[in-house]
Amino acid sequence: LTGDASHPDAASRIASGVLTGEIRDLARAITLVENGTERGRAILRTLFPRTGRASVVGITGFPGTGKSSLVDQLTSAYRSVGKKVGVVAVDPSSAFSGGAILGDRIRMQRHATDSRVFIRSLATRGNFGGLSKATRDVVDLVDAAGYDPILLETVGVGQDEIEVIEAADTIAVVLVPGLGDDIQAIKAGILEIADLFVINKSDHPGAERLEKELTGMLSLGGKAGTIPILRTVAVRGEGIEELCDQLTELQALARKDGSAEERRRKRSKDRFLALLRDRLVEKALDRLGAGNTFGEVVDGIHARQIDPHAAVDRVLADLNLSDDS
Ligand SMILES: Nc1nc2c(ncn2[C@@H]2O[C@H](COP(=O)(O)OP(=O)(O)OP(=O)(O)O)[C@@H](O)[C@H]2O)c(=O)[nH]1
Ligand SMILES: [Mg+2]
C-alpha cells in the first residue's frame, strides 16, 4: 500500500495532500499517526522537513476556565487578519467525561464551515507520555498543512499536562476569579511555564484581587513585570484584541532574544530522548518476555533475590548494550 504513490491510501500521496492543504488528507494522516501505524510514521517522516513554520500558542488552565471560548475568539481574531488557523484540543479527561469535546464542537461551530480553520480534538489513550508524543506529531501535521497559528488547548496544569503544553512556543495560562486558595496549589507549575496570564471571566467579582495575587506571586518568584497579565471576558469577546497583540509581541520578543530558538532546541532534545527511551524500554521488555517476564523480574527485586541494578544489567546484556560488550 505504501509503495504505490498513486494509490489513494499511499503514505506519499496522503503526505502531498497534506502539503497542498487537503483537509481530508490531513484528517486521515492524523488518524494514522494517532493509531501508531507505520503509514503514519512514513507520513511524518516525509513531512518533517516542512514543519516548524507555524507559531504554536498553548492555552492551558483548570477545567471550565474558558479556554475553548478564548480559542474560539482567538480563531475569529486571527481569521479576520487572514490567517489560516489550526486548533488542537487535547483533553486528558475526555475518556471519563466525553462531554467536553462535544461542548467544544458546539462552541466552535461557527468555524466549522470555514475551510481555513482546522479543528481536531485529541483524547487521552490512558497514557500521558503517549499523549504528549501524539500532540507533537499532530501539531507537526497541522503545521505542514500550512496552518499558522496553531492554537493548542489543554486542560489543567499538572506535570503530565505540562508535557503536553510544552509543544507550544508561547503559553497562556488561563485563570478565573474566585479560585481562592487554589492559586497556592497551582503556582509551582505555572510559574515555570506561563509566558502570559489571562484572567478570564473578568465579569465575575474578584478579578482585581486575583491580579494582585498573581503579581505578588510573580514578584516572589523574581518575575515581577516580566509576565503580562491580561483580563478577558471570552463570552463577550472583551480583551481578545489585546490578547492577540500581546501574543504577537511575546512571539516577536522571543524571536529577538533567542528564547524561541532555545525552547525549540530543548523540545527537539526532549522529543528525541522521550522516543529513544520509549523504544528502548519497549525492546527491552520484549526481550524480557523471552526469558523472565516483566512481572517475574519485579517479583525478584521485591523478594530481594536480585538487586535492581543487576536486573537492568542483565536486560542490557540481552540487548548487547552492556558496558563491556
Ligand atoms: N461569565 C463568563 N462565562 C464564561 C466566560 N468565558 C467562558 N465562560 C463560560 O464558562 C463555561 C466554560 O467555558 P469553556 O470555554 O468551555 O471552558 P474550558 O476551559 O474550555 O473548559 P474545559 O475544556 O471543559 O476545561 C462556558 O459555559 C462558557 O460559556 C467569561 O468570560 N465570562
Ligand atoms: Mg475546552
Side-chain angles (χ1 to χ4, degrees), residues 98-307:
I101 284 175
L102 183 66
D104 286 351
R105 289 251 169 76
I106 295 163
R107 216 153 286 132
M108 297 293 289
Q109 196 67 52
R110 61 181 171 138
H111 301 297
T113 54
D114 185 343
S115 66
R116 292 177 74 80
V117 177
F118 180 82
I119 303 169
R120 181 73 174 221
S121 297
L122 285 183
T124 179
R125 305 211 165 274
N127 169 332
F128 280 111
L131 193 58
S132 76
K133 189 164 64 184
T135 304
R136 284 164 199 223
D137 289 345
V138 169
V139 165
D140 272 352
L141 293 172
V142 178
D143 181 353
Y147 293 87
D148 181 14
I150 297 172
L151 309 176
L152 174 63
E153 173 187 344
T154 180
V155 174
V157 281
Q159 189 52 51
D160 299 322
E161 290 92 341
I162 285 176
E163 243 174 64
V164 172
I165 204 72
E166 274 174 351
D169 297 307
T170 314
I171 300 173
V173 172
V174 185
L175 301 170
V176 292
L179 273 171
D181 293 339
D182 291 350
I183 201 154
Q184 295 303 319
I186 55 180
K187 72 176 179 190
I190 59 176
L191 262 185
E192 306 310 319
I193 60 158
D195 296 304
L196 165 72
F197 286 106
V198 176
I199 301 181
N200 189 42
K201 305 198 186 182
S202 284
D203 51 327
H204 288 179
E208 177 130 16
R209 204 187 115 197
L210 177 58
E211 185 168 342
K212 277 198 187 122
E213 282 178 3
L214 267 177
T215 310
M217 216 174 80
L218 289 172
S219 47
L220 279 179
K223 290 188 169 183
T226 61
I227 301 183
I229 304 173
L230 283 180
R231 291 195 208 174
T232 57
V233 183
V235 282
R236 291 196 224 129
E238 289 174 22
I240 301 303
E241 214 175 298
E242 292 80 353
L243 176 55
C244 273
D245 290 348
Q246 195 60 255
L247 285 168
T248 307
E249 208 170 294
L250 283 171
Q251 286 155 357
L253 194 69
R255 267 195 300 273
K256 217 170 130 198
D257 71 8
S259 58
E261 200 50 40
E262 199 180 303
R263 201 180 279 197
R264 285 190 170 203
R265 189 178 168 81
K266 179 181 182 297
R267 197 188 307 159
S268 299
K269 183 189 83 181
D270 290 349
R271 210 171 166 186
F272 170 60
L273 279 179
L275 285 175
L276 181 63
R277 205 175 294 132
D278 281 5
R279 294 273 286 278
L280 281 177
V281 168
E282 201 177 299
K283 276 210 186 314
L285 293 181
D286 273 358
R287 209 52 78 83
L288 263 184
N292 287 325
T293 66
F294 180 65
E296 281 164 0
V297 175
V298 174
D299 287 346
I301 296 168
H302 182 64
R304 316 225 161 229
Q305 286 158 351
I306 183 166
D307 75 89

Side-chain angles (χ1 to χ4, degrees), residues 85-96:
V85 185
V87 175
V88 178
V90 183
D91 188 0
S93 66
S94 67
F96 310 105

